[in-house]
Amino acid sequence: NSPYKATNCAGFWKRWHISLSNWLKDYLYIPIGGNRNATAASWLILFGLMTAVALMAKTAWVTLLVTSLIGLMLALYLLFPKHRKEYVRNVNNMDTMLLGGLWHGASFNFITWGGLNGLGILTYKYWKKLGPWARSAAAALLFACTALCTHLWPSPALNMFAVAFALFFAGTALRYLIYALRRGKAVTWLDTAWNVLVTFTFISFTRLFFRSGSNLHPSEANEAAWRTAKQMINQIGSTWHGEQILPIVENYSPVFILFTIGMIVHWLPERLKRRYRLWFANMPLWLMLLAAVATVFVIQQFAAADLQPFIYFQF
């Protein structure tokens, strides 16, 4: 349901792969406690998957990070009994997204992808509770921390995060400056555009991990996918070569044309989409059959082409 129109991660998952999202909610999220309470399965799933990530990563800093997170979660649960109900909801949400990632493939990168989406949903839940100035301060703090880390431990990944959080802080501050100048009157279209852009950027980043592990044999998925994801992040965080943009567009012009057409259709108003769907449904049966055959033929051409096949073809 036009998922790239989503203004937050939770909204994205209500629009993207709706049947899977509903299945996870009905047969996983609710049975393990939903937003009511945690069950033994809630903690078993969370700590079990986190331990599996630490073992599969085979990297000291990942193991240290996961161990620290487990300790932090236990400490928060014990120290703040008044917030346990909300805490439990967050655990169940994270379990659902982690297992949603695992559903796509039993490898480290798919669990990472699911975990990042779960983190995005939980971050938004707390972010929307903050006021305008608190959000600006939080964005400034994120930028300052990543900039300091980049200075102390230079790396392409930290460069990428520093630039991303700098832009995020600038956009957030500008948004609330306009809000203040208009004496508390929000610019609705500007708010929507900013939220859509941030959501789209975050979702695209998480897919580095998803795409890096698709179409790989399970025996090599963990090592190869993690290496590929790191290479992509290092490329993004390194020096950009603007002179390569035009040759890439020229060499892959059919891909860019198809992408542009797809995005135009995606962003058409819902009323117009409903109109042409009804028009198709009211066509003569022979014409609908002809359109279906043509569509299957085009999909088959993509599937049979000597290109990297689309991820869901393997299912």
Side-chain angles (χ1 to χ4, degrees):
N1 181 22
S2 303
Y4 298 120
K5 292 181 181 178
T7 55
N8 58 75
C9 290
F12 175 84
W13 279 100
K14 290 178 181 177
R15 291 170 172 265
W16 175 276
H17 210 325
I18 299 170
S19 56
L20 175 61
S21 296
N22 286 337
W23 190 92
L24 290 171
K25 180 188 72 175
D26 293 339
Y27 295 100
L28 178 63
Y29 180 70
I30 292 175
I32 64 175
N35 57 8
R36 301 184 309 276
N37 64 292
T39 60
S42 302
W43 305 108
L44 184 63
I45 292 169
L46 183 64
F47 294 141
L49 287 178
M50 290 180 73
T51 303
V53 165
L55 293 173
M56 286 190 292
K58 297 180 181 179
T59 306
W61 69 267
V62 173
T63 304
L64 179 62
L65 179 63
V66 170
T67 305
S68 301
L69 282 173
I70 291 175
L72 178 62
M73 286 188 292
L74 289 173
L76 289 173
Y77 184 80
L78 295 173
L79 294 174
F80 300 99
K82 291 182 179 180
H83 298 282
R84 283 182 182 175
K85 187 173 182 179
E86 183 180 14
Y87 185 84
V88 161
R89 284 199 298 267
N90 294 340
V91 168
N92 290 337
N93 267 311
M94 183 58 80
D95 283 348
T96 303
M97 296 310 300
L98 286 169
L99 286 176
L102 190 63
W103 177 85
H104 288 84
S107 64
F108 176 49
N109 61 293
F110 286 120
I111 297 175
T112 302
W113 169 75
L116 286 172
N117 277 275
L119 188 63
I121 291 172
L122 297 183
T123 300
Y124 172 72
K125 285 177 63 176
Y126 289 101
W127 181 261
K128 66 182 181 181
K129 295 179 181 179
L130 300 177
W133 304 114
R135 292 183 182 183
S136 298
L141 182 62
L142 283 171
F143 167 57
C145 289
T146 50
L148 178 61
C149 290
T150 302
H151 178 73
L152 295 175
W153 306 287
S155 72
L158 287 174
N159 287 341
M160 181 189 69
F161 284 118
V163 172
F165 285 128
L167 294 173
F168 181 67
F169 167 62
T172 302
L174 179 61
R175 176 183 172 188
Y176 291 121
L177 178 60
I178 296 172
Y179 181 80
L181 292 174
R182 289 173 56 88
R183 297 180 181 179
K185 293 182 180 179
V187 183
T188 306
W189 69 266
L190 183 61
D191 287 351
T192 301
W194 174 248
N195 292 335
V196 166
L197 177 62
V198 171
T199 303
F200 178 80
T201 303
F202 176 76
I203 291 295
S204 298
F205 171 72
T206 67
R207 285 182 173 157
L208 294 181
F209 298 93
F210 186 98
R211 188 66 187 91
S212 66
S214 58
N215 303 323
L216 291 176
H217 191 274
S219 62
E220 62 179 13
N222 285 319
E223 184 178 351
W226 188 241
R227 183 175 62 251
T228 303
K230 286 194 294 184
Q231 288 173 349
M232 287 192 284
I233 291 173
N234 287 338
Q235 283 287 97
I236 295 171
S238 301
T239 303
W240 285 23
H241 301 282
E243 69 277 3
Q244 294 182 4
I245 294 175
L246 187 58
I248 290 173
V249 173
E250 289 176 347
N251 290 327
Y252 292 93
S253 56
V255 176
F256 282 96
I257 292 171
L258 184 63
F259 173 80
T260 303
I261 294 171
M263 291 305 290
I264 290 172
V265 173
H266 188 90
W267 281 92
L268 288 175
E270 290 299 321
R271 185 178 300 177
L272 181 58
K273 287 185 177 183
R274 191 177 302 112
R275 188 176 300 171
Y276 69 64
R277 286 167 184 160
L278 289 173
W279 171 78
F280 178 80
N282 290 323
M283 287 196 312
L285 186 60
W286 67 268
L287 194 56
M288 294 175 68
L289 180 62
L290 187 63
V293 170
T295 302
V296 171
F297 175 76
V298 170
I299 293 174
Q300 177 60 28
Q301 288 299 107
F302 274 102
D306 188 20
L307 296 169
Q308 186 73 287
F310 179 56
I311 174 67
Y312 282 112
F313 283 148
Q314 68 178 303
F315 294 114

